[in-house]
PDB file of all heavy atoms in Angstrom:
ATOM      1  N   MET B   1     169.807-132.754 -79.887  1.00 97.00           N
ATOM      2  CA  MET B   1     170.510-131.469 -79.570  1.00 97.00           C
ATOM      3  C   MET B   1     170.068-130.312 -80.477  1.00 97.00           C
ATOM      4  O   MET B   1     169.758-130.513 -81.692  1.00 97.00           O
ATOM      5  CB  MET B   1     171.974-131.667 -79.730  1.00 97.00           C
ATOM      6  CG  MET B   1     172.649-132.498 -78.595  1.00 97.00           C
ATOM      7  SD  MET B   1     174.241-133.239 -79.056  1.00 97.00           S
ATOM      8  CE  MET B   1     175.191-131.811 -79.393  1.00 97.00           C
ATOM      9  N   SER B   2     170.074-129.106 -79.962  1.00 95.00           N
ATOM     10  CA  SER B   2     169.711-127.909 -80.719  1.00 95.00           C
ATOM     11  C   SER B   2     171.024-127.479 -81.464  1.00 95.00           C
ATOM     12  O   SER B   2     172.123-127.717 -81.006  1.00 95.00           O
ATOM     13  CB  SER B   2     169.265-126.801 -79.872  1.00 95.00           C
ATOM     14  OG  SER B   2     168.075-127.102 -79.153  1.00 95.00           O
ATOM     15  N   PRO B   3     170.829-126.749 -82.656  1.00 96.00           N
ATOM     16  CA  PRO B   3     171.965-126.236 -83.321  1.00 96.00           C
ATOM     17  C   PRO B   3     172.778-125.267 -82.432  1.00 96.00           C
ATOM     18  O   PRO B   3     172.170-124.624 -81.579  1.00 96.00           O
ATOM     19  CB  PRO B   3     171.414-125.528 -84.509  1.00 96.00           C
ATOM     20  CG  PRO B   3     170.015-126.069 -84.644  1.00 96.00           C
ATOM     21  CD  PRO B   3     169.541-126.424 -83.266  1.00 96.00           C
ATOM     22  N   TRP B   4     174.055-125.201 -82.682  1.00 93.00           N
ATOM     23  CA  TRP B   4     174.915-124.235 -81.961  1.00 93.00           C
ATOM     24  C   TRP B   4     175.037-122.994 -82.739  1.00 93.00           C
ATOM     25  O   TRP B   4     174.982-121.775 -82.200  1.00 93.00           O
ATOM     26  CB  TRP B   4     176.269-124.844 -81.688  1.00 93.00           C
ATOM     27  CG  TRP B   4     177.198-123.980 -80.989  1.00 93.00           C
ATOM     28  CD1 TRP B   4     176.953-122.971 -80.042  1.00 93.00           C
ATOM     29  CD2 TRP B   4     178.646-123.839 -81.243  1.00 93.00           C
ATOM     30  NE1 TRP B   4     178.081-122.366 -79.619  1.00 93.00           N
ATOM     31  CE2 TRP B   4     179.185-122.822 -80.334  1.00 93.00           C
ATOM     32  CE3 TRP B   4     179.516-124.488 -82.118  1.00 93.00           C
ATOM     33  CZ2 TRP B   4     180.530-122.483 -80.366  1.00 93.00           C
ATOM     34  CZ3 TRP B   4     180.860-124.141 -82.036  1.00 93.00           C
ATOM     35  CH2 TRP B   4     181.381-123.144 -81.226  1.00 93.00           C
ATOM     36  N   GLN B   5     175.197-123.040 -84.075  1.00 95.00           N
ATOM     37  CA  GLN B   5     175.340-121.890 -84.956  1.00 95.00           C
ATOM     38  C   GLN B   5     174.278-121.949 -86.005  1.00 95.00           C
ATOM     39  O   GLN B   5     173.849-122.986 -86.451  1.00 95.00           O
ATOM     40  CB  GLN B   5     176.712-121.858 -85.597  1.00 95.00           C
ATOM     41  CG  GLN B   5     177.905-121.728 -84.637  1.00 95.00           C
ATOM     42  CD  GLN B   5     179.233-121.847 -85.354  1.00 95.00           C
ATOM     43  OE1 GLN B   5     179.384-122.661 -86.303  1.00 95.00           O
ATOM     44  NE2 GLN B   5     180.147-121.111 -84.824  1.00 95.00           N
ATOM     45  N   GLY B   6     173.809-120.695 -86.314  1.00 95.00           N
ATOM     46  CA  GLY B   6     172.767-120.663 -87.342  1.00 95.00           C
ATOM     47  C   GLY B   6     173.328-120.006 -88.733  1.00 95.00           C
ATOM     48  O   GLY B   6     174.268-119.341 -88.629  1.00 95.00           O
ATOM     49  N   GLY B   7     172.618-120.365 -89.758  1.00 94.00           N
ATOM     50  CA  GLY B   7     173.078-119.811 -91.032  1.00 94.00           C
ATOM     51  C   GLY B   7     172.500-120.612 -92.199  1.00 94.00           C
ATOM     52  O   GLY B   7     171.564-121.409 -92.069  1.00 94.00           O
ATOM     53  N   GLY B   8     173.224-120.571 -93.355  1.00 92.00           N
ATOM     54  CA  GLY B   8     172.800-121.228 -94.457  1.00 92.00           C
ATOM     55  C   GLY B   8     173.047-122.690 -94.364  1.00 92.00           C
ATOM     56  O   GLY B   8     174.063-123.146 -93.618  1.00 92.00           O
ATOM     57  N   ASP B   9     172.375-123.621 -95.067  1.00 91.00           N
ATOM     58  CA  ASP B   9     172.552-125.060 -95.219  1.00 91.00           C
ATOM     59  C   ASP B   9     172.230-125.841 -93.983  1.00 91.00           C
ATOM     60  O   ASP B   9     172.352-127.033 -94.008  1.00 91.00           O
ATOM     61  CB  ASP B   9     174.075-125.263 -95.612  1.00 91.00           C
ATOM     62  CG  ASP B   9     174.048-126.547 -96.478  1.00 91.00           C
ATOM     63  OD1 ASP B   9     173.106-126.881 -97.210  1.00 91.00           O
ATOM     64  OD2 ASP B   9     175.153-127.224 -96.488  1.00 91.00           O
ATOM     65  N   MET B  10     171.821-125.227 -92.857  1.00 94.00           N
ATOM     66  CA  MET B  10     171.487-125.911 -91.686  1.00 94.00           C
ATOM     67  C   MET B  10     169.976-125.898 -91.433  1.00 94.00           C
ATOM     68  O   MET B  10     169.486-126.227 -90.355  1.00 94.00           O
ATOM     69  CB  MET B  10     172.273-125.560 -90.502  1.00 94.00           C
ATOM     70  CG  MET B  10     172.263-124.062 -90.161  1.00 94.00           C
ATOM     71  SD  MET B  10     170.814-123.381 -89.386  1.00 94.00           S
ATOM     72  CE  MET B  10     170.915-124.174 -87.799  1.00 94.00           C
ATOM     73  N   ILE B  11     169.214-125.496 -92.349  1.00 92.00           N
ATOM     74  CA  ILE B  11     167.804-125.180 -92.175  1.00 92.00           C
ATOM     75  C   ILE B  11     166.941-126.052 -93.212  1.00 92.00           C
ATOM     76  O   ILE B  11     167.427-126.467 -94.224  1.00 92.00           O
ATOM     77  CB  ILE B  11     167.483-123.758 -92.368  1.00 92.00           C
ATOM     78  CG1 ILE B  11     167.977-123.189 -93.730  1.00 92.00           C
ATOM     79  CG2 ILE B  11     168.001-122.929 -91.239  1.00 92.00           C
ATOM     80  CD1 ILE B  11     167.167-123.339 -94.928  1.00 92.00           C
ATOM     81  N   GLU B  12     165.700-126.215 -92.862  1.00 92.00           N
ATOM     82  CA  GLU B  12     164.733-126.770 -93.815  1.00 92.00           C
ATOM     83  C   GLU B  12     163.906-125.627 -94.369  1.00 92.00           C
ATOM     84  O   GLU B  12     163.672-125.500 -95.564  1.00 92.00           O
ATOM     85  CB  GLU B  12     163.822-127.803 -93.149  1.00 92.00           C
ATOM     86  CG  GLU B  12     164.496-129.168 -92.939  1.00 92.00           C
ATOM     87  CD  GLU B  12     163.535-130.137 -92.386  1.00 92.00           C
ATOM     88  OE1 GLU B  12     162.433-129.778 -91.949  1.00 92.00           O
ATOM     89  OE2 GLU B  12     163.901-131.349 -92.403  1.00 92.00           O
ATOM     90  N   ARG B  13     163.372-124.741 -93.491  1.00 94.00           N
ATOM     91  CA  ARG B  13     162.547-123.625 -93.914  1.00 94.00           C
ATOM     92  C   ARG B  13     162.759-122.475 -92.941  1.00 94.00           C
ATOM     93  O   ARG B  13     162.757-122.701 -91.738  1.00 94.00           O
ATOM     94  CB  ARG B  13     161.080-124.111 -94.032  1.00 94.00           C
ATOM     95  CG  ARG B  13     160.209-122.941 -94.643  1.00 94.00           C
ATOM     96  CD  ARG B  13     158.832-123.498 -94.822  1.00 94.00           C
ATOM     97  NE  ARG B  13     157.989-122.538 -95.620  1.00 94.00           N
ATOM     98  CZ  ARG B  13     157.892-122.509 -96.901  1.00 94.00           C
ATOM     99  NH1 ARG B  13     158.512-123.332 -97.642  1.00 94.00           N
ATOM    100  NH2 ARG B  13     157.064-121.634 -97.534  1.00 94.00           N
ATOM    101  N   VAL B  14     162.872-121.306 -93.510  1.00 94.00           N
ATOM    102  CA  VAL B  14     163.126-120.093 -92.719  1.00 94.00           C
ATOM    103  C   VAL B  14     161.968-119.096 -92.911  1.00 94.00           C
ATOM    104  O   VAL B  14     161.583-118.747 -94.069  1.00 94.00           O
ATOM    105  CB  VAL B  14     164.411-119.343 -93.019  1.00 94.00           C
ATOM    106  CG1 VAL B  14     164.556-118.081 -92.210  1.00 94.00           C
ATOM    107  CG2 VAL B  14     165.554-120.301 -92.746  1.00 94.00           C
ATOM    108  N   ARG B  15     161.256-118.753 -91.820  1.00 95.00           N
ATOM    109  CA  ARG B  15     160.257-117.677 -91.807  1.00 95.00           C
ATOM    110  C   ARG B  15     160.558-116.780 -90.630  1.00 95.00           C
ATOM    111  O   ARG B  15     161.215-117.192 -89.720  1.00 95.00           O
ATOM    112  CB  ARG B  15     158.854-118.233 -91.602  1.00 95.00           C
ATOM    113  CG  ARG B  15     158.348-119.113 -92.806  1.00 95.00           C
ATOM    114  CD  ARG B  15     156.847-119.357 -92.567  1.00 95.00           C
ATOM    115  NE  ARG B  15     156.229-120.078 -93.662  1.00 95.00           N
ATOM    116  CZ  ARG B  15     155.957-121.361 -93.766  1.00 95.00           C
ATOM    117  NH1 ARG B  15     156.445-122.116 -92.708  1.00 95.00           N
ATOM    118  NH2 ARG B  15     155.478-122.009 -94.768  1.00 95.00           N
ATOM    119  N   PHE B  16     160.095-115.519 -90.708  1.00 96.00           N
ATOM    120  CA  PHE B  16     160.324-114.637 -89.595  1.00 96.00           C
ATOM    121  C   PHE B  16     159.496-115.123 -88.355  1.00 96.00           C
ATOM    122  O   PHE B  16     159.881-114.729 -87.272  1.00 96.00           O
ATOM    123  CB  PHE B  16     159.994-113.177 -89.896  1.00 96.00           C
ATOM    124  CG  PHE B  16     161.044-112.476 -90.776  1.00 96.00           C
ATOM    125  CD1 PHE B  16     160.806-112.186 -92.065  1.00 96.00           C
ATOM    126  CD2 PHE B  16     162.248-112.201 -90.158  1.00 96.00           C
ATOM    127  CE1 PHE B  16     161.857-111.696 -92.825  1.00 96.00           C
ATOM    128  CE2 PHE B  16     163.287-111.601 -90.909  1.00 96.00           C
ATOM    129  CZ  PHE B  16     163.095-111.347 -92.276  1.00 96.00           C
ATOM    130  N   SER B  17     158.535-115.961 -88.579  1.00 96.00           N
ATOM    131  CA  SER B  17     157.726-116.474 -87.508  1.00 96.00           C
ATOM    132  C   SER B  17     158.401-117.642 -86.873  1.00 96.00           C
ATOM    133  O   SER B  17     157.997-118.083 -85.795  1.00 96.00           O
ATOM    134  CB  SER B  17     156.363-116.847 -88.025  1.00 96.00           C
ATOM    135  OG  SER B  17     156.477-117.868 -89.063  1.00 96.00           O
ATOM    136  N   GLY B  18     159.424-118.233 -87.558  1.00 94.00           N
ATOM    137  CA  GLY B  18     160.202-119.341 -86.977  1.00 94.00           C
ATOM    138  C   GLY B  18     160.889-120.109 -88.044  1.00 94.00           C
ATOM    139  O   GLY B  18     160.579-120.114 -89.197  1.00 94.00           O
ATOM    140  N   THR B  19     161.884-120.905 -87.619  1.00 94.00           N
ATOM    141  CA  THR B  19     162.755-121.687 -88.577  1.00 94.00           C
ATOM    142  C   THR B  19     162.694-123.203 -88.144  1.00 94.00           C
ATOM    143  O   THR B  19     162.799-123.495 -86.990  1.00 94.00           O
ATOM    144  CB  THR B  19     164.172-121.204 -88.537  1.00 94.00           C
ATOM    145  OG1 THR B  19     164.233-119.839 -89.110  1.00 94.00           O
ATOM    146  CG2 THR B  19     165.171-122.028 -89.403  1.00 94.00           C
ATOM    147  N   THR B  20     162.655-124.036 -89.093  1.00 94.00           N
ATOM    148  CA  THR B  20     162.743-125.460 -88.867  1.00 94.00           C
ATOM    149  C   THR B  20     164.175-125.833 -89.398  1.00 94.00           C
ATOM    150  O   THR B  20     164.630-125.404 -90.498  1.00 94.00           O
ATOM    151  CB  THR B  20     161.707-126.238 -89.533  1.00 94.00           C
ATOM    152  OG1 THR B  20     161.721-125.952 -90.947  1.00 94.00           O
ATOM    153  CG2 THR B  20     160.387-125.985 -88.951  1.00 94.00           C
ATOM    154  N   PHE B  21     164.885-126.730 -88.661  1.00 95.00           N
ATOM    155  CA  PHE B  21     166.232-127.118 -88.926  1.00 95.00           C
ATOM    156  C   PHE B  21     166.369-128.323 -89.736  1.00 95.00           C
ATOM    157  O   PHE B  21     165.517-129.269 -89.554  1.00 95.00           O
ATOM    158  CB  PHE B  21     167.014-127.178 -87.581  1.00 95.00           C
ATOM    159  CG  PHE B  21     166.991-125.902 -86.836  1.00 95.00           C
ATOM    160  CD1 PHE B  21     166.369-125.828 -85.553  1.00 95.00           C
ATOM    161  CD2 PHE B  21     167.544-124.715 -87.285  1.00 95.00           C
ATOM    162  CE1 PHE B  21     166.394-124.672 -84.895  1.00 95.00           C
ATOM    163  CE2 PHE B  21     167.472-123.543 -86.536  1.00 95.00           C
ATOM    164  CZ  PHE B  21     166.898-123.516 -85.349  1.00 95.00           C
ATOM    165  N   ALA B  22     167.413-128.458 -90.438  1.00 94.00           N
ATOM    166  CA  ALA B  22     167.768-129.639 -91.133  1.00 94.00           C
ATOM    167  C   ALA B  22     168.143-130.776 -90.209  1.00 94.00           C
ATOM    168  O   ALA B  22     168.447-130.540 -89.082  1.00 94.00           O
ATOM    169  CB  ALA B  22     168.883-129.365 -92.163  1.00 94.00           C
ATOM    170  N   LYS B  23     168.155-132.005 -90.778  1.00 94.00           N
ATOM    171  CA  LYS B  23     168.579-133.198 -89.971  1.00 94.00           C
ATOM    172  C   LYS B  23     170.112-133.215 -89.915  1.00 94.00           C
ATOM    173  O   LYS B  23     170.866-132.579 -90.657  1.00 94.00           O
ATOM    174  CB  LYS B  23     168.003-134.444 -90.587  1.00 94.00           C
ATOM    175  CG  LYS B  23     166.490-134.511 -90.507  1.00 94.00           C
ATOM    176  CD  LYS B  23     165.941-135.736 -91.168  1.00 94.00           C
ATOM    177  CE  LYS B  23     164.489-135.845 -91.102  1.00 94.00           C
ATOM    178  NZ  LYS B  23     163.962-137.074 -91.793  1.00 94.00           N
ATOM    179  N   CYS B  24     170.642-134.009 -89.014  1.00 95.00           N
ATOM    180  CA  CYS B  24     171.995-134.247 -88.886  1.00 95.00           C
ATOM    181  C   CYS B  24     172.594-134.902 -90.227  1.00 95.00           C
ATOM    182  O   CYS B  24     171.897-135.676 -90.840  1.00 95.00           O
ATOM    183  CB  CYS B  24     172.372-135.183 -87.777  1.00 95.00           C
ATOM    184  SG  CYS B  24     172.028-134.528 -86.129  1.00 95.00           S
ATOM    185  N   PRO B  25     173.787-134.503 -90.646  1.00 97.00           N
ATOM    186  CA  PRO B  25     174.790-133.606 -89.904  1.00 97.00           C
ATOM    187  C   PRO B  25     174.583-132.187 -90.269  1.00 97.00           C
ATOM    188  O   PRO B  25     175.142-131.337 -89.659  1.00 97.00           O
ATOM    189  CB  PRO B  25     176.108-134.196 -90.457  1.00 97.00           C
ATOM    190  CG  PRO B  25     175.783-134.619 -91.896  1.00 97.00           C
ATOM    191  CD  PRO B  25     174.409-135.143 -91.793  1.00 97.00           C
ATOM    192  N   ALA B  26     173.669-131.784 -91.283  1.00 96.00           N
ATOM    193  CA  ALA B  26     173.615-130.425 -91.735  1.00 96.00           C
ATOM    194  C   ALA B  26     173.254-129.524 -90.661  1.00 96.00           C
ATOM    195  O   ALA B  26     173.652-128.268 -90.573  1.00 96.00           O
ATOM    196  CB  ALA B  26     172.519-130.356 -92.832  1.00 96.00           C
ATOM    197  N   LYS B  27     172.442-129.988 -89.610  1.00 97.00           N
ATOM    198  CA  LYS B  27     171.984-129.111 -88.545  1.00 97.00           C
ATOM    199  C   LYS B  27     173.129-128.411 -87.818  1.00 97.00           C
ATOM    200  O   LYS B  27     173.042-127.359 -87.303  1.00 97.00           O
ATOM    201  CB  LYS B  27     171.192-129.953 -87.531  1.00 97.00           C
ATOM    202  CG  LYS B  27     170.652-129.168 -86.389  1.00 97.00           C
ATOM    203  CD  LYS B  27     169.630-129.996 -85.551  1.00 97.00           C
ATOM    204  CE  LYS B  27     170.256-131.243 -84.908  1.00 97.00           C
ATOM    205  NZ  LYS B  27     169.312-131.848 -83.972  1.00 97.00           N
ATOM    206  N   PHE B  28     174.334-129.075 -87.821  1.00 98.00           N
ATOM    207  CA  PHE B  28     175.471-128.542 -87.133  1.00 98.00           C
ATOM    208  C   PHE B  28     176.532-127.948 -88.022  1.00 98.00           C
ATOM    209  O   PHE B  28     177.698-127.737 -87.556  1.00 98.00           O
ATOM    210  CB  PHE B  28     176.066-129.631 -86.261  1.00 98.00           C
ATOM    211  CG  PHE B  28     175.112-130.084 -85.146  1.00 98.00           C
ATOM    212  CD1 PHE B  28     174.503-131.296 -85.252  1.00 98.00           C
ATOM    213  CD2 PHE B  28     174.863-129.316 -84.061  1.00 98.00           C
ATOM    214  CE1 PHE B  28     173.641-131.755 -84.262  1.00 98.00           C
ATOM    215  CE2 PHE B  28     173.935-129.727 -83.056  1.00 98.00           C
ATOM    216  CZ  PHE B  28     173.381-130.962 -83.207  1.00 98.00           C
ATOM    217  N   GLU B  29     176.236-127.763 -89.371  1.00 97.00           N
ATOM    218  CA  GLU B  29     177.262-127.309 -90.208  1.00 97.00           C
ATOM    219  C   GLU B  29     176.780-126.120 -90.997  1.00 97.00           C
ATOM    220  O   GLU B  29     176.527-126.129 -92.197  1.00 97.00           O
ATOM    221  CB  GLU B  29     177.565-128.427 -91.299  1.00 97.00           C
ATOM    222  CG  GLU B  29     178.259-129.629 -90.595  1.00 97.00           C
ATOM    223  CD  GLU B  29     178.642-130.797 -91.564  1.00 97.00           C
ATOM    224  OE1 GLU B  29     178.273-130.621 -92.744  1.00 97.00           O
ATOM    225  OE2 GLU B  29     179.286-131.739 -91.118  1.00 97.00           O
ATOM    226  N   ALA B  30     176.587-125.053 -90.254  1.00 96.00           N
ATOM    227  CA  ALA B  30     176.100-123.769 -90.787  1.00 96.00           C
ATOM    228  C   ALA B  30     177.110-123.126 -91.709  1.00 96.00           C
ATOM    229  O   ALA B  30     178.292-123.071 -91.452  1.00 96.00           O
ATOM    230  CB  ALA B  30     175.735-122.771 -89.688  1.00 96.00           C
TER     231      ALA B  30
END
């Protein structure tokens, strides 16, 4: 499943070119 909300603590790396998300459960706990 894709994240529902974005923000801090639910990411692995953020770039303006794109973001990679953390694994569960962090992916859904922005």
